[in-house]
Amino acid sequence: MAQITSFTERARASLREELLDAAAELLPGQGYARLRMADVAERVGVSRQTVYNEFGSKSALVQAVALRTAAEFLEGVQQRLHAADDVLAGIHAATVYTIEHARENRLVAAALGTDVGEDLLPLLTTRGEPILRAATESAESYLGERVPDLADPAFAAETMVRLTLSHLVLPTHSPSEAADSVRGVLAALIRRPQRP
């Protein structure tokens, strides 16, 4: 019986990924408002009800796409943080990666720069709490590990994430210049006198 359950779980996980892939492909061209569950279902070859059974609502589907995209970003960020010789170099490399990768990712680029995708922008801003939380927890873990005497790693991590998102949402500098700014702020936080 365990094999049947395992197969069923794998099949469901595979279906979920296919639905997420389909939604991620459709969102850049349709945005949130024009995305239809029927279109997602058709692309995968299942019924519209199957999509609703899996996610419950269009909002939950799009949030799942956003969280999966964020997880892909966080994996790349972690690789750059851990590959760097020191914390500040890691922060710089991770910030550059985030901004450059966002420009290359069709979904994020659409949210940041097209009229159609503009209704996706709240997933990074006003409704971006799940993404902010995931990124902040990841950054806090890294800072706590690499700078164990840091007075407030949670504050430093959230500052790093919020500054990076700010440069992402409203780009006024090159990725490297934005990363210089984020690194400078974090350097001040890391080097400030620690509590006794």
Side-chain angles (χ1 to χ4, degrees):
M1 189 58 110
Q3 287 181 338
I4 293 173
T5 302
S6 178
F7 174 77
T8 302
E9 289 171 356
R10 285 195 316 267
R12 184 165 184 213
S14 176
L15 172 63
R16 186 175 180 84
E17 286 302 310
E18 286 183 59
L19 293 169
L20 290 171
D21 288 344
E25 290 170 15
L26 291 167
L27 280 165
Q30 295 181 345
Y32 179 84
R34 292 184 6 212
L35 179 71
R36 295 176 343 124
M37 299 293 256
D39 295 336
V40 174
E42 181 181 325
R43 187 161 285 216
V44 176
V46 297
S47 71
R48 183 174 64 111
Q49 189 58 48
T50 300
V51 183
Y52 278 104
N53 290 347
E54 189 62 38
F55 292 98
S57 68
K58 179 169 79 167
S59 177
L61 170 62
V62 173
Q63 187 68 54
V65 170
L67 287 172
R68 187 179 73 163
T69 302
E72 293 166 3
F73 270 79
L74 289 176
E75 184 177 318
V77 165
Q78 285 297 319
Q79 289 172 2
R80 278 134 189 98
L81 289 171
H82 291 288
D85 293 334
D86 65 64
V87 173
L88 295 177
I91 289 168
H92 191 277
T95 304
V96 168
Y97 165 79
T98 300
I99 294 169
E100 288 179 346
H101 189 61
R103 292 177 181 172
E104 296 166 3
N105 181 288
R106 282 186 63 233
L107 181 58
V108 178
L112 296 174
T114 67
D115 290 340
V116 171
E118 188 175 322
D119 63 0
L120 298 171
L121 189 57
L123 293 170
L124 292 173
T125 56
T126 57
R127 291 191 347 230
E129 195 271 332
I131 292 173
L132 176 66
R133 184 177 354 105
T136 299
E137 287 172 359
S138 178
E140 182 179 357
S141 174
Y142 170 76
L143 290 172
E145 175 186 310
R146 295 292 297 266
V147 190
D149 63 339
L150 185 60
D152 194 348
F155 175 75
E158 186 172 340
T159 300
M160 181 172 94
V161 171
R162 285 183 181 272
L163 283 172
T164 302
L165 283 175
S166 173
H167 283 288
L168 184 63
V169 171
L170 186 61
T172 55
H173 303 296
S174 72
S176 185
E177 291 167 334
D180 290 343
S181 172
V182 173
R183 179 180 56 194
V185 171
L186 267 291
L189 290 175
I190 288 171
R191 293 184 183 133
R192 74 179 179 191
Q194 305 302 307
R195 292 184 221 136

